[in-house]
């Protein structure tokens, strides 16, 4: 009874620590400091934009002074001054444009950080499930090796197999034991990495149904070359229109253009309206006397102009470099899109191939087991069928999660949190 209670407590604790993919993503968004920093950067950029826009507003200052002889502060002077920029050579306008572009970039970085975080959580989640599946395969292989060794031991004692054949079964059991230990180590490492990334403790990913993904892979594996090329073009078009890294390169061009135009306008005069009111009470007046003044201040750069010219040249070359960087980014992004799509198609074909291979390997092993028990199959052939089954099982589960990771990588290029857009392109694009 006591053991049963302990078992129930352990099982309850394990259920409490289980986490599904959606919960893992929420936890990642909550705890990831890099993502939080990108949000802070966005808020800072928004404040800087508002500050740049405020430059168009008037400036008002108030001042006052008291003076007199022998610390007798009888003279009083109050003033109120207003300054309104009229034309600042374009510095206000382009300053606003630059701040706006920087806010757009910060917003893209924030969204990109979120998309990358969710994709990383998915990848680590899948890695734990893959490691768990491979551990299960290793455990099954070890159990199978133990049973095979028991059967071989019986046959060896009866003289049905030689000592060298029996040693093969011992070696297979020993190798299976090593494989199980390695798989267990990999699972624990993957689980630790998953929890470290989420900044959590003892969270175990829940298993997911892979049937829908296998159906997807089967459909993809039947696509013709023309279908694959057609979808490739559509994905590339979508990626070029949605990829946030590419959008930031476009913002860099616009920012560099604004800096270049700002450097051009530095040769222009600046014009501002000034107005002031003064209230004075001193020995020469019976009471406060007020006066007002209005004026227009004009400032024209005359000398030196060399530094402004060099500044213009600097901004010009920066603008040209940003254009080149944009073209490079487009080419690189398009190549990444094509590579990710072809890797997804390849992984889909590999998954279906692995599924067929697994069915074949199981059938061969079952047949070999029967033949070996009847003495119609050699020990080597029997062990080869067992090893082949274990390897095929491992390849099958790796193919499943490789397909999921490749799909996640392609979706990350689209900068999408969900898969609706990608699924529409992939499964309707060839129709």
């Amino acid at each position: 009874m006591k053991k049963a209670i302990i078992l129930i407590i352990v099982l309850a604790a394990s259920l409490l620590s289980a986490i599904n993919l959606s919960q893992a993503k929420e936890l990642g968004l909550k705890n990831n400091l890099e993502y939080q920093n990108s949000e802070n950067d966005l808020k800072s950029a928004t404040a800087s934009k508002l500050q740049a826009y405020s430059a168009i507003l008037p400036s008002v200052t108030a001042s006052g002074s008291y003076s007199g002889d022998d610390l007798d502060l009888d003279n009083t002077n109050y003033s109120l001054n207003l300054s309104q920029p009229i034309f600042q050579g374009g510095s206000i306008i382009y300053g606003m444009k630059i701040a706006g572009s920087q806010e757009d970039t910060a917003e893209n970085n924030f969204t990109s950080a979120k998309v990358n975080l969710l994709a990383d959580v998915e990848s680590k989640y899948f890695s734990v499930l893959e490691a768990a599946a491979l551990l299960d395969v290793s455990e099954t292989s070890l159990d199978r090796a133990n049973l095979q060794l028991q059967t071989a031991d019986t046959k060896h004692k009866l003289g049905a197999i030689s000592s060298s054949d029996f040693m093969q079964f011992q070696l297979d059991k020993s190798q299976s034991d090593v494989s199980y230990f390695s798989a267990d180590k990999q699972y624990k490492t993957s689980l630790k990495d998953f929890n470290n990334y989420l900044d959590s403790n003892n969270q175990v990913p829940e298993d997911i149904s892979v049937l829908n993904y296998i159906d997807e892979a089967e459909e993809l594996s039947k696509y013709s070359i023309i279908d694959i090329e057609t979808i490739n073009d559509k994905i590339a078009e979508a990626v070029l229109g949605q990829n946030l890294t590419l959008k930031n390169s476009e913002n860099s061009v616009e920012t560099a253009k604004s800096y270049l135009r700002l450097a051009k306008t530095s040769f222009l005069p600046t014009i501002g309206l000034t107005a002031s009111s003064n209230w004075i009470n001193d020995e020469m007046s019976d009471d406060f006397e007020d006066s007002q003044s209005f004026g227009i201040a004009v400032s024209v750069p005359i000398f030196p102009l060399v530094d402004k010219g060099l500044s213009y040249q600097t901004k010009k070359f920066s603008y040209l470099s940003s254009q080149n960087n944009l073209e490079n980014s487009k080419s690189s992004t398009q190549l990444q899109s094509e590579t990710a799509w072809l890797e997804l198609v390849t992984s889909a074909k590999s998954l279906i191939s692995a599924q067929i291979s697994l069915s074949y390997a199981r059938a061969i092993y079952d047949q070999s087991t029967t033949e070996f028990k009847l003495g119609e199959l050699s020990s080597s052939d029997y062990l080869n069928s067992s090893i082949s089954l274990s390897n095929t099982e491992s390849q099958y589960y790796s193919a499943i999660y490789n397909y999921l990771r490749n799909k996640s990588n392609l979706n990350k290029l689209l900068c999408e949190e969900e898969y609706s857009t990608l699924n529409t392109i992939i499964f309707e694009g060839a129709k």
Side-chain angles (χ1 to χ4, degrees):
M1 182 67 181
K2 183 177 180 181
K3 291 183 178 180
I5 294 175
I6 294 176
L7 180 60
I8 292 174
I9 294 175
V10 171
L11 291 175
S14 64
L15 289 175
L16 288 175
S17 63
I19 186 172
N20 60 37
L21 184 55
S22 297
Q23 292 170 335
K25 290 180 178 181
E26 291 176 3
L27 189 59
L29 293 174
K30 177 182 177 182
N31 293 341
N32 189 271
L33 297 179
E34 185 176 353
Y35 171 69
Q36 294 175 11
N37 285 341
S38 65
E39 185 176 14
N40 292 332
D41 291 340
L42 174 57
K43 293 177 179 178
S44 175
T46 301
S48 297
K49 176 184 175 181
L50 294 176
Q51 182 181 17
Y53 275 65
S54 68
I56 199 172
L57 300 176
S59 173
V60 180
T61 58
S63 61
S65 64
Y66 301 90
S67 61
D69 298 331
D70 299 328
L71 298 179
D72 186 12
L73 305 179
D74 293 335
N75 300 328
T76 306
N77 185 357
Y78 301 109
S79 65
L80 190 64
N81 302 291
L82 180 144
S83 176
Q84 172 64 56
I86 298 177
F87 179 73
Q88 298 295 314
S91 62
I92 295 179
I93 294 177
Y94 292 116
M96 292 164 61
K97 288 185 176 181
I98 291 170
S101 295
Q102 291 174 341
E103 184 190 34
D104 290 340
T105 298
E107 186 173 1
N108 290 339
N109 288 336
F110 173 63
T111 304
S112 180
K114 183 177 183 180
V115 170
N116 291 334
L117 172 63
L118 297 180
D120 289 343
V121 170
E122 275 189 344
S123 178
K124 294 181 184 298
Y125 193 98
F126 295 151
S127 293
V128 175
L129 294 183
E130 179 184 6
L134 296 180
L135 177 59
D136 186 60
V137 169
S138 297
E139 185 177 8
T140 302
S141 298
L142 181 58
D143 292 339
R144 190 160 54 230
N146 283 322
L147 291 174
Q148 290 168 174
L149 182 59
Q150 292 174 9
T151 303
D153 183 46
T154 302
K155 283 180 170 289
H156 180 250
K157 290 177 179 179
L158 295 174
I161 62 174
S162 65
S163 296
S164 60
D165 286 341
F166 179 63
M167 291 179 64
Q168 287 183 335
F169 285 95
Q170 289 179 315
L171 178 60
D172 180 60
K173 190 269 178 186
S174 178
Q175 291 175 338
S176 297
D177 188 52
V178 173
S179 297
Y180 176 77
F181 177 80
S182 298
D184 182 61
K185 179 182 177 182
Q186 180 60 43
Y187 171 73
K188 291 177 180 177
T189 301
S190 299
L191 186 60
K192 182 66 175 177
D193 181 53
F194 173 73
N195 278 281
N196 286 346
Y197 192 76
L198 296 182
D199 192 22
S200 63
N201 295 313
N202 301 322
Q203 297 287 353
V204 180
E206 293 180 0
D207 201 4
I208 60 174
S209 174
V210 297
L211 296 178
N212 290 335
Y213 301 112
I214 294 176
D215 291 340
E216 286 183 8
E218 186 174 5
E219 184 175 350
L220 275 179
S221 65
K222 296 177 182 178
Y223 281 2
S224 66
I225 298 297
I226 296 178
D227 292 336
I228 293 173
E229 291 177 350
T230 299
I231 296 175
N232 177 64
D233 293 338
K234 293 183 177 182
I235 291 177
E237 182 181 359
V239 168
L240 291 176
Q242 295 183 208
N243 186 268
L244 297 178
T245 301
L246 195 58
K247 287 184 179 295
N248 280 348
S249 294
E250 295 172 350
N251 285 338
S252 295
V253 173
E254 293 301 317
T255 300
K257 183 189 293 186
S258 296
Y259 275 117
L260 177 62
R261 291 177 175 175
L262 184 61
K264 285 183 179 179
T265 59
S266 65
F267 297 96
L268 300 176
T270 59
I271 303 174
L273 173 67
T274 61
S276 64
S277 293
N278 293 278
W279 294 269
I280 302 175
N281 183 11
D282 55 19
E283 296 176 353
M284 304 297 296
S285 60
D286 295 334
D287 200 355
F288 281 101
E289 293 184 357
D290 63 296
S291 62
Q292 290 82 32
S293 64
F294 301 91
I296 295 179
V298 180
S299 176
V300 181
I302 297 178
F303 187 83
L305 295 177
V306 176
D307 60 333
K308 295 184 181 296
L310 293 176
S311 176
Y312 171 75
Q313 290 295 321
T314 300
K315 299 300 186 292
K316 176 182 177 181
F317 292 125
S318 295
Y319 173 62
L320 294 176
S321 295
S322 66
Q323 288 182 314
N324 293 335
N325 291 335
L326 175 59
E327 293 304 316
N328 287 334
S329 295
K330 287 181 179 179
S331 299
S332 176
T333 303
Q334 189 168 7
L335 178 60
Q336 292 177 37
S337 170
E338 181 175 354
T339 302
W341 163 238
L342 295 179
E343 286 180 348
L344 180 62
V345 175
T346 302
S347 62
K349 293 179 178 292
S350 298
L351 174 54
I352 300 306
S353 176
Q355 187 181 35
I356 296 173
S357 297
L358 179 58
S359 298
Y360 176 73
R362 284 173 175 169
I364 291 296
Y365 176 73
D366 292 340
Q367 180 181 348
S368 298
T369 300
T370 302
E371 293 177 353
F372 178 73
K373 289 180 178 179
L374 296 174
E376 299 175 356
L377 189 70
S378 68
S379 300
S380 297
D381 290 339
Y382 180 46
L383 286 175
N384 286 336
S385 68
S386 176
I387 293 172
S388 177
L389 175 58
S390 297
N391 292 337
T392 305
E393 286 175 334
S394 297
Q395 292 169 3
Y396 170 69
Y397 288 111
S398 293
I400 290 175
Y401 293 104
N402 189 42
Y403 172 81
L404 292 176
R405 280 189 290 265
N406 283 331
K407 188 175 182 181
S408 178
N409 289 335
L410 182 56
N411 198 56
K412 184 165 66 172
L413 285 174
L414 286 168
C415 297
E416 291 277 352
E417 297 180 25
E418 304 295 335
Y419 286 87
S420 56
T421 300
L422 180 60
N423 286 337
T424 299
I425 297 175
I426 291 177
F427 299 110
E428 297 182 12
K431 297 178 180 180

